[in-house]
Amino acid sequence: MSRKTLLTSKEIDIILHRLACQLIENHNNFSDTVLIGLQPRGSFLAKRLAKLLEEDYQIKNLQLGLLDITFYRDDFRRRDEPLEAESTQIDFLIEGKKVVIIDDVLYSGRSVRSALTAIQSYGRPENIELLVLIDRRFSRHLPIQPNYRGRQVDAINEEKVVVNWQEEHKKDAVYLVKKQ
Amino acid sequence: MSLSTEHLLGIKYLNKQDIDLIFKTADHFKAVINRPIKKVPSLRDITIANLFFENSTRTKLSFELAEKRLSADVINFSASQSSVKKGETLIDTVNNILAMKVDIVVMRHPNVGAGVFLSKHVDAKIINAGDGTHEHPTQALLDSYSIREKLGSVKGKKIVIVGDVLHSRVALSNIFALQLQGAKVKVCGPTTLIPKHITSLGVEVETNLKKALEWCDVANVLRVQNERMAINYFPSTREYTQLFGINQEILDNLGKKIVIMHPGPINRGVEITSDVADSDQSIILNQVENGVAVRMAVIYLLAQQIKR
């Protein structure tokens, strides 16, 4: 299995700051905006961005939720391994709010489609945007595109984008792994 | 993780990992049913038939609600309004229903082993919603889930099952489920309503209600099933209530707060008084709420095994 580094921790840090600034540009003080990280992988990015916005850009009362989409997926019985649910932590209503869905990698778009369905269980948002760290171009199964992207990547189906976070792997990094 | 069994025919076919997985999944569904929109689309392409050859209110409603919360298509069948009355066999009835492309059958039947019999003859997932006086697995699962929710865990807890154990499928499933999770179980009731060889299941028999309640953390009170009694098992309902009915006075004299459970429907004033049933020690309504979440988990986990 060969592994190529797509982003180093320094590059990820620069990208996170850029994404935070882009969010501020569109959402000002976030009074009408909520961030929703998709469980499990998107929650790391969402938490990191929220921390950055609060500590480096002095955004107060930022609302961050974590959404599990397991029960909304359309590949429920089409996988070799059964799906295991994570917890959903959204302790606020999203009625009339601007929602930013956050995930680490945008590939087929099916997870985001599931998230769009799942989010409706918490109210009717004013609008929904999508933020991803990695956008795998030319891999989409659905007409879904991100509003904010960290890096666009051209990868073939035999390759997998692996995102490592400091919280889990002691170092931030993004790799392109070739499946054997 | 997935269930080790293809059907849910009884607790005796499950292992500890299965129960843990069902509870973990039920936790997620409990969150779902407490949301503003209480529905997930997981089972959109699954059809479930509820076959009730015996009367049921709570279990039938609970299963139907669980299925609809999972977005499954549901058909209901009740024996009293069906061709069973015309002499159709169980297999013919079920095969006719399966010909309508049904994936899961939830069945309640007066005969012991009906679910096992069906699982060997038809190509569908079978969930036993009660077979005679044998097992009622989802009731036992929701009972354990409710104890776990109230007391933190089932392991090491002392549970007494009080009342008509002889005619109860809830009792047997509960004994299996509680022991599997490391609880200590006693049964308490008139000797006429305690099965002869029940101690071979590793449970103790206590015929003194006060002693049983002093020993336990949880009392699961069973309904006196008059409809299954062809003979008199005790002289009178009044005497039964005096000796085995739970009232607030008995509970107040224990010197500790025990948890009161009841699978329903309650004979108020017979096995349990209204003030006890409605007290803060009772988790009867929690059991009903948890029933939907636990049944959603069971159906979801079995549906995961269906490959298209």
Side-chain angles (χ1 to χ4, degrees):
Chain A
M1 195 180 288
S2 65
R3 193 171 81 164
K4 183 177 135 191
T5 303
L6 282 179
L7 295 173
T8 62
S9 71
K10 191 168 187 290
E11 288 169 322
I12 289 174
D13 190 51
I14 293 165
I15 285 170
L16 291 182
H17 277 275
R18 172 170 57 80
L19 290 170
C21 290
Q22 284 180 308
L23 284 173
I24 292 166
E25 211 172 315
N26 290 338
H27 297 277
N28 302 319
N29 61 359
F30 288 76
S31 58
D32 295 321
T33 302
V34 298
L35 305 184
I36 302 285
L38 297 193
Q39 291 274 44
R41 313 288 319 156
S43 57
F44 291 104
L45 174 59
K47 284 175 186 170
R48 188 71 72 79
L49 271 171
K51 191 167 181 260
L52 211 60
L53 288 164
E54 283 168 340
E55 291 176 3
D56 290 33
Y57 298 96
Q58 284 71 50
I59 301 294
K60 302 263 188 300
N61 307 319
L62 187 68
Q63 288 191 301
L64 168 70
L66 305 178
L67 177 67
D68 180 73
I69 56 162
T70 307
F71 303 127
Y72 298 85
R73 295 183 69 116
D74 57 5
D75 58 354
F76 168 55
R77 284 184 313 282
R78 289 169 178 82
R79 302 165 71 95
D80 299 333
E81 277 297 302
L83 293 162
E84 265 200 61
E86 302 272 339
S87 66
T88 288
Q89 295 160 33
I90 300 178
D91 51 6
F92 45 81
L93 274 180
I94 59 159
E95 188 72 32
K97 297 276 187 190
K98 293 171 182 165
V99 173
V100 182
I101 291 176
I102 298 171
D103 206 1
D104 61 347
V105 180
L106 175 61
Y107 179 32
S108 67
R110 286 177 187 271
S111 295
V112 176
R113 198 233 19 104
S114 304
L116 292 172
T117 309
I119 211 87
Q120 291 169 5
S121 297
Y122 297 89
R124 182 183 181 273
E126 186 186 314
N127 64 42
I128 301 177
E129 292 180 331
L130 175 63
L131 180 150
V132 296
L133 181 66
I134 303 294
D135 172 16
R136 288 186 64 163
R137 255 193 334 175
F138 313 128
S139 309
R140 219 73 78 236
H141 298 180
L142 298 165
I144 286 171
Q145 300 301 342
N147 303 78
Y148 312 91
R149 64 167 67 85
R151 172 69 61 88
Q152 206 161 42
V153 173
D154 294 342
I156 54 173
N157 283 339
E158 287 68 43
E159 292 170 325
K160 189 172 189 254
V161 175
V162 176
V163 181
N164 284 358
W165 294 104
Q166 199 177 2
E167 294 82 346
E168 236 191 346
H169 302 92
K170 303 206 167 47
K171 192 177 80 167
D172 292 341
V174 179
Y175 301 106
L176 190 63
V177 178
K178 207 177 186 90
K179 301 175 201 167
Q180 289 297 342
Chain B
M1 278 283 283
S2 55
L3 287 178
S4 65
T5 59
E6 285 182 33
H7 311 278
L8 182 65
L9 302 171
I11 300 290
K12 68 168 172 267
Y13 301 101
L14 299 179
N15 57 41
K16 173 77 167 62
Q17 288 72 30
D18 289 331
I19 292 181
D20 288 343
L21 177 63
I22 290 167
F23 287 178
K24 196 175 155 192
T25 311
D27 285 341
H28 296 298
F29 286 127
K30 184 137 192 202
V32 168
I33 61 177
N34 282 297
R35 286 181 197 165
I37 294 167
K38 303 161 174 54
K39 208 171 166 87
V40 289
S42 309
L43 268 59
R44 257 183 313 209
D45 57 340
I46 292 282
T47 305
I48 303 175
N50 296 318
L51 273 58
F52 280 73
F53 293 87
E54 253 188 2
N55 291 338
S56 166
T57 307
R58 212 171 320 266
T59 305
K60 194 176 174 188
L61 279 177
S62 183
F63 264 113
E64 197 175 336
L65 196 57
E67 291 151 6
K68 287 177 174 172
R69 295 268 190 256
L70 289 164
S71 302
D73 291 321
V74 180
I75 53 171
N76 286 307
F77 163 99
S78 89
S80 56
Q81 300 145 13
S82 75
S83 294
V84 172
K85 289 278 180 208
K86 300 172 188 172
E88 193 178 50
T89 66
L90 175 61
I91 289 185
D92 279 343
T93 300
V94 175
N95 274 328
N96 274 285
I97 289 166
L98 292 183
M100 300 174 200
K101 304 288 177 275
V102 166
D103 303 291
I104 299 175
V105 173
V106 175
M107 186 173 74
R108 169 166 290 188
H109 202 279
N111 293 347
V112 170
V116 175
F117 169 76
L118 207 59
S119 70
K120 289 176 180 166
H121 290 90
V122 301
D123 183 25
K125 300 273 172 201
I126 310 293
I127 298 174
N128 178 6
D131 58 335
T133 56
H134 180 227
E135 278 228 42
H136 191 352
T138 54
Q139 180 67 47
L141 288 168
L142 74 90
D143 286 350
S144 289
Y145 184 83
S146 302
I147 293 169
R148 167 183 172 265
E149 188 181 58
K150 180 77 179 175
L151 301 176
S153 110
V154 177
K155 196 175 185 312
K157 298 293 180 294
K158 297 172 186 166
I159 289 110
V160 66
I161 299 169
V162 184
D164 186 358
V165 179
L166 182 68
H167 298 105
S168 175
R169 49 190 166 215
V170 174
L172 189 62
S173 287
N174 257 289
I175 289 166
F176 290 145
L178 292 165
Q179 286 179 336
L180 207 51
Q181 294 166 89
K184 299 184 184 78
V185 186
K186 276 187 184 182
V187 292
C188 174
T191 47
T192 50
L193 290 175
I194 302 288
K196 213 178 255 181
H197 303 291
I198 197 156
T199 49
S200 65
L201 297 175
V203 298
E204 285 179 45
V205 176
E206 176 59 73
T207 51
N208 181 312
L209 179 67
K210 192 168 176 290
K211 280 185 184 170
L213 296 180
E214 280 168 352
W215 170 83
C216 76
D217 302 306
V218 178
N220 196 347
V221 189
L222 303 175
R223 183 174 62 89
V224 176
Q225 300 194 42
N226 291 310
E227 74 277 14
R228 295 191 196 275
M229 295 183 188
I231 56 168
N232 283 338
Y233 287 87
F234 44 83
S236 69
T237 303
R238 187 165 167 270
E239 186 170 321
Y240 179 90
T241 303
Q242 281 180 332
L243 291 172
F244 295 100
I246 296 181
N247 58 45
Q248 199 58 53
E249 191 187 350
I250 294 172
L251 294 182
D252 289 344
N253 290 332
L254 288 178
K256 61 173 182 177
K257 276 215 163 189
I258 62 166
V259 176
I260 301 291
M261 300 172 72
H262 195 301
I266 305 170
N267 289 321
R268 283 178 182 257
V270 179
E271 64 262 4
I272 191 169
T273 56
S274 281
D275 52 354
V276 171
D278 303 330
S279 72
D280 61 349
Q281 284 175 262
S282 153
I283 57 166
I284 295 169
L285 290 178
N286 304 65
Q287 288 172 265
V288 178
E289 183 187 345
N290 291 337
V292 178
V294 166
R295 288 179 175 115
M296 282 173 85
V298 166
I299 294 164
Y300 175 83
L301 291 166
L302 286 175
Q304 260 189 349
Q305 301 171 354
I306 300 169
K307 301 292 178 202
R308 293 282 188 232

